[in-house]
Amino acid sequence: MKILVAVFAIGCIISIIGYFLYIVYYTLDLFFLNPFNKIPPLTAIEKQIIIENLPFYKALNDRLKAKFEKRVVRFRHRKKILFHEDVQNQDKIRLLLAATGTMLTLGMADFLILSINKIIVYPSQYYSVMTKKEHFGEYNPGLKTLIFSEEQLLLGFRIPNDNLNLAVHEFAHALSFNVANKLNVRSFLFLFGMKRIKKLLRNNEFNAKWEKNKYFRAYGKTNLHEFFAVAVESYVETPKEFEKQFPKLFKTLQFMLNLGFYKLA
């Protein structure tokens, strides 16, 4: 009996030490202080691809661009991105996915989005085991997996101001799961913002204006979480128009994502 207790105690100590070392490693990696994990910076060609596909990046000052670039390479390195063999633009897609995740978390300390373990990319529309339907993209919170269609994914970047971006939409879902399930100040602020959005969606004046100007697409009426994702697409692609049309909602999203520095014409 004493031997079992001793073995159990040793096991607990080893587990605690292992967890502590993991936290130290993760923290060092998060703040680019890990001496064991040197990752090459973005190339000039990669920066140009981001410039051509993400207006957000061009709107940043030099300090924020440097921060953005460091986070992109770290995110790309840490996430498992799997491609169907028929997907043609794998390097470009890998870069744009990392840039999208970085963009939505640039105002946060934790940018690795732990609610995403894996990203899968198919060449076109695919059958979802989760919903039993054909999809272009989805987020599976149980498996912590993002799934995309290459075709629709790239289309979202091709037109930068139509408020339709599949990558942004699905990353917004994953981000809401990531932030909302943590016990910290950012989580509290995010959940507070979601409550404000929920209240706004019940406001007759807001809904009447939405119906009249059609700024947000109808899919946003599906539920609170889909509206949040639709609104984030608009926040990223046409922030000036968003602020003009729905200033209160714009400020709420700005508050939730901590992206007050981003204002694009």
Side-chain angles (χ1 to χ4, degrees), residues 239-256:
K240 285 291 185 183
E241 183 64 20
F242 192 156
E243 186 175 25
K244 178 182 177 181
Q245 296 287 347
F246 299 97
K248 289 184 179 180
L249 178 58
F250 180 85
K251 288 182 180 179
T252 297
L253 282 181
Q254 197 174 64
F255 168 79
M256 293 170 70

Side-chain angles (χ1 to χ4, degrees), residues 177-196:
F177 272 87
N178 188 66
V179 178
N181 290 303
K182 292 184 177 180
L183 298 176
N184 54 36
V185 175
R186 176 51 50 194
S187 176
F188 172 79
L189 297 176
F190 189 92
L191 290 173
F192 180 74
M194 287 296 276
K195 288 182 179 180
R196 291 178 67 176

